[in-house]
Amino acid sequence: MGARFPFSAVVGHDDLRLALLLNAVHPGIGGVLVRGEKGTAKSTVVRALAALLPELDVVPGCRFACDPAVEIECPDGPHNAGVPERRPARLVELPVGATEDRLIGSLDLERALTEGVRAYQPGLLAAAHRGVLYVDEVNLLHDHLVDLLLDAAAMGRAHVEREGVSVSHAASFLLVGTMNPEEGELRPQLLDRFGLTVSVKAARDVATRTEVIRRRLAYEADPAGFAARWAEQDAELAARIVAARDRLPGVVLPDAELRRIAAVCAAFEVDGMRADLVVARTAVAHAAWRGADEVEEADVEAAVRLALPHRKRRDPFDEPGLEEQQLEDAMKQGAEHAAEPEPEPDPDGPDGGGLPEGADDGLPPESPESPERSTAGQGTGSERTHAPAPSFRTRLLQVPGVGEGAPGKRSRARARTGRVVRSSTVDGSGLHLVGTLGAAAPHQSVRGRSGPGLVLRGTDLRLSVREGKESNLVLFVVDASGSMAARQRMSAVSGAVISLLRDAYQRRDKVGVITFRGGSAETALPPTNSVDAAAARLRQLRTGGRTPLADGLLRARKVLQTERVRDPRRRPLLVLLTDGRATATGTGGDPMRDALRAAGLLAADDVAAVVVDCESGHLRLGLAGRVAEALDAVCLRLEELSADQVAGVVRAARAA
């Protein structure tokens, strides 16, 4: 393996480098989430950090990298005194496709089946102990895996209870996750579990971009030589990390700064107390990093900039970040509280740093309530602007049958995780232990078994068939014609689509948006994992003109055919929002006949669909119902989308 790109040679990204270094000083901060567009050196910086971490003394032969100087419960213990083994801190990477077994470990099946003993095979959490655990594209990782690694990062230990194995081992590591927001967001409650967050962008300054290119080309031409030229600067940073770690326990966090932290967090209206604790830990680490013995206002401000941007995000479609004016006002408010008279010290309160490494507030991640949001059409001339409409909790729309798509929370699917429904000799995920033992047991006498282990044959092996939930491609086809706007229904439709988008965000779906108005249909947003991008496009929705319903359905069919080639395992769900009127003349001269013919083509493609009838008033023509019948789809009235008004699950198409 060639030399890594030196940490000191990275151009710019000051906030990212500071956040990583502070976590290296104080892992109890809780890790770093790095948000940024592709090609911004996120992975390069993270991998370079591992080389700066101090070497470790570990117990020889211990699979959990235990520190010989610290007594701690270990599955490989008790450890005998001996000469410690010295090695570099590890950088462990968690791939997007990792399973729960790979992350937390599992039963050692080879020893269980051949020796008849229960033995634990450590996972990546154990391998990352006292090092760095790096998760690229963390937003694409299954939510339950993110929960597991964040819990371990917060507690400093991993607990495994599965398959007859009960194990607890140390798992203290610097957690770093990177993500491209264009590929989808993390849920707000998962965002909150990361200690710090940093947004990175490519520099727009020509001189800076030139220097980035120059250094990268020099590194690619001679990695070892380039690393050698920056070795001295990296060594200085490594020594500074060690010095800051030694200084950390003695750093004093004055009560005035505690009040400042509490006041700033209150001003930003963050949920729970985790933000206050993370800001305090980060401020202490920042003071230690700059060589001070006491936290000051500058340390708190630096901590706030890194710890609060993602915690002020109240809704899935809010952009993370801090406005300078808001930060300035919050710091002024904090200064007023910091200037209050000192209270009597609490004898049971924290000392100096007061925030032990790895300590957690013990609170579960909170789910921010989604405030009512709205959308309005914009435009000029014949285009209309509509009053905002509130969003709501939608009922569940599902694709029927059992799929095999990406992990999510919408439709039934065969999955690598989830409940075991049966065993199989053909397909499945992981060993079905009971099924394997049951298949082998009757043959032990014939096979001459004499010891505690089983005598196995290949024909005995059974795989676990699991069923979970998948995410889908939800394609919204929205009627934005004049017939919708004339009756002031577009605001209600927009609110409904935003509500459905929020539901898609929570269920980890891929989404796309097609609108039709005037003389044609438009792909407002090609299928993407960025649900907030879809919300932004809908807020700019223009309305007016005739109703080319057939064109909208044909455009949807073309988009779905393309996506079927790109991502064949992800099943689509088409959601058509219309009043059913078709007024734009098609090729056959009859707009409605053309629309029904287009709907029939989608039905022939076996596309699961739901038609949302947006017609209002006492006199209803029922045209949307005719379209739904041609699509072989369920037809719902707009008000029936609300989960609070209508109970149950909608099967989106004919039963498979």
Side-chain angles (χ1 to χ4, degrees):
M1 179 178 177
R4 287 196 179 109
F5 194 91
F7 191 89
S8 302
V10 174
V11 180
H13 296 332
D14 294 339
D15 286 346
L16 172 56
R17 291 191 292 169
L18 177 61
L20 292 172
L21 290 169
L22 293 182
N23 269 270
V25 171
H26 191 347
I29 289 172
V32 185
L33 176 64
V34 188
R35 299 165 46 87
E37 57 199 12
K38 54 186 177 292
T40 49
K42 301 186 296 294
S43 301
T44 298
V45 180
V46 174
R47 293 189 175 100
L49 174 71
L52 300 183
L53 299 180
E55 289 191 337
L56 307 175
D57 286 331
V58 300
V59 175
C62 178
R63 297 174 296 168
F64 302 89
C66 281
D67 187 343
V70 179
E71 290 290 335
I72 191 169
E73 182 182 350
C74 175
D76 283 357
H79 298 304
N80 297 322
V83 179
E85 176 185 336
R86 195 161 183 81
R87 64 165 177 78
R90 289 174 177 163
L91 172 70
V92 176
E93 298 191 33
L94 177 65
V96 173
T99 62
E100 184 176 337
D101 290 351
R102 188 74 185 95
L103 179 63
I104 65 173
S106 63
L107 181 69
D108 189 331
L109 293 176
E110 181 178 354
R111 294 190 61 190
L113 296 175
T114 58
E115 301 177 24
V117 299
R118 286 198 299 261
Y120 173 66
Q121 181 66 40
L124 293 177
L125 291 181
H129 180 47
R130 304 175 67 195
V132 179
L133 180 59
Y134 172 48
V135 188
D136 194 14
E137 297 181 319
V138 66
N139 52 324
L140 303 183
L141 195 66
H142 198 284
D143 287 348
H144 87 282
L145 294 182
V146 178
D147 277 327
L148 285 173
L149 67 91
L150 289 173
D151 282 342
M155 295 185 296
R157 293 193 69 81
H159 300 278
V160 184
E161 299 282 349
R162 57 183 302 164
E163 297 167 340
V165 174
S166 179
V167 173
S168 174
H169 65 81
S172 177
F173 47 80
L174 196 169
L175 174 64
V176 185
T178 59
M179 59 173 284
N180 182 354
E182 295 177 357
E183 297 172 340
E185 287 282 0
L186 274 174
R187 299 200 323 267
Q189 56 267 45
L190 292 179
L191 277 173
D192 179 61
R193 302 292 299 281
F194 278 93
L196 309 180
T197 187
V198 178
S199 294
V200 295
K201 296 181 179 179
R204 298 296 182 256
D205 177 68
V206 174
T208 301
R209 295 176 73 96
T210 302
E211 185 61 22
V212 169
I213 298 171
R214 181 181 294 115
R215 293 188 186 183
R216 186 67 201 186
L217 292 177
Y219 169 75
E220 292 174 356
D222 182 10
F226 184 82
R229 290 195 292 274
W230 291 90
E232 184 176 348
Q233 291 90 326
D234 268 11
E236 291 175 358
L237 281 178
R240 191 175 173 185
I241 290 174
V242 174
R245 284 185 175 183
D246 293 339
R247 185 178 293 109
L248 185 71
V251 174
V252 176
L253 180 57
D255 198 70
E257 298 308 320
L258 275 176
R259 291 196 300 274
R260 188 193 307 274
I261 290 169
V264 171
C265 291
F268 279 105
E269 299 182 346
V270 296
D271 293 312
M273 294 298 298
R274 185 175 285 114
D276 305 60
L277 290 167
V278 171
V279 171
R281 294 175 185 133
T282 307
V284 171
H286 190 270
W289 176 250
R290 64 183 180 85
D293 296 322
E294 184 174 300
V295 172
E296 298 177 358
E297 180 180 2
D299 301 311
V300 174
E301 182 174 352
V304 166
R305 289 182 180 276
L306 296 173
L308 294 192
H310 57 305
R311 291 187 167 87
K312 68 176 287 290
R313 190 177 188 217
R314 312 291 298 185
D315 186 82
F317 302 140
D318 289 340
E319 284 292 329
L322 298 180
E323 296 180 3
E324 283 299 320
Q325 186 59 52
Q326 188 180 15
L327 176 60
E328 183 178 335
D329 293 343
M331 291 300 296
K332 285 180 180 178
Q333 183 175 330
E336 295 173 1
H337 287 274
E340 294 175 358
E342 292 282 345
E344 292 296 323
D346 182 359
D348 297 324
D351 57 8
L355 296 157
E357 185 170 328
D360 190 30
D361 50 36
L363 299 176
E366 303 198 16
S367 300
E369 294 183 1
S370 297
E372 291 188 348
R373 300 182 61 84
S374 60
T375 176
Q378 299 177 352
T380 58
S382 63
E383 299 162 359
R384 303 200 176 196
T385 300
H386 307 280
S391 60
F392 51 85
R393 186 171 65 93
T394 65
R395 65 192 292 180
L396 174 60
L397 306 178
Q398 283 187 318
V399 177
V402 181
E404 297 180 349
K409 295 186 176 182
R410 183 171 297 279
S411 305
R412 293 174 55 203
R414 286 179 288 272
R416 299 173 66 181
T417 60
R419 65 187 182 94
V420 178
V421 294
R422 59 184 174 86
S423 65
S424 171
T425 58
V426 180
D427 57 358
S429 175
L431 185 69
H432 192 287
L433 186 57
V434 174
T436 300
L437 296 178
H443 307 292
Q444 295 306 295
S445 177
V446 175
R447 294 173 184 174
R449 173 187 169 187
S450 59
L454 292 177
V455 179
L456 296 177
R457 298 288 185 268
T459 54
D460 299 330
L461 295 180
R462 299 294 185 270
L463 301 175
S464 294
V465 178
R466 299 176 181 269
E467 186 173 295
K469 294 284 188 178
E470 67 175 359
S471 61
N472 298 108
L473 165 59
V474 182
L475 183 62
F476 295 95
V477 183
V478 184
D479 185 346
S481 64
S483 67
M484 300 283 285
R487 295 168 178 79
Q488 294 299 305
R489 292 198 296 270
M490 201 60 215
S491 59
V493 171
S494 299
V497 176
I498 291 295
S499 301
L500 289 166
L501 280 171
R502 183 173 287 109
D503 181 69
Y505 169 88
Q506 294 168 345
R507 300 186 189 281
R508 316 299 288 168
D509 291 321
K510 196 173 184 179
V511 298
V513 179
I514 291 174
T515 62
F516 56 94
R517 57 182 289 273
S520 63
E522 174 189 6
T523 304
L525 183 72
T528 175
N529 288 104
S530 183
V531 179
D532 50 349
R537 297 292 176 89
L538 282 166
R539 292 191 182 102
Q540 302 169 4
L541 185 64
R542 297 176 297 172
T543 62
R546 299 174 70 84
T547 312
L549 178 55
D551 200 43
L553 293 173
L554 291 174
R555 176 64 63 93
R557 184 178 184 232
K558 182 177 180 180
V559 168
L560 293 177
Q561 287 175 337
T562 302
E563 285 301 307
R564 187 175 288 117
V565 174
R566 292 177 177 172
D567 193 355
R569 296 179 61 189
R570 190 185 295 268
R571 297 189 295 163
L573 172 62
L574 186 146
V575 180
L576 171 64
L577 296 99
T578 182
D579 59 6
R581 296 173 181 266
T583 58
T585 303
T587 55
D590 185 335
M592 192 63 195
R593 183 182 301 167
D594 289 343
L596 296 177
R597 186 180 296 114
L601 292 174
L602 282 163
D605 289 345
D606 201 28
V607 174
V610 172
V611 176
V612 180
D613 185 356
C614 303
E615 192 174 27
S616 62
H618 297 293
L619 181 61
R620 295 173 179 264
L621 301 178
L623 299 176
R626 293 180 60 190
V627 177
E629 184 177 353
L631 276 170
D632 199 6
V634 169
C635 185
L636 300 174
R637 291 171 59 176
L638 188 60
E639 57 269 23
E640 291 178 331
L641 281 176
S642 172
D644 297 327
Q645 295 184 25
V646 181
V649 172
V650 175
R651 300 293 176 183
R654 54 192 175 279

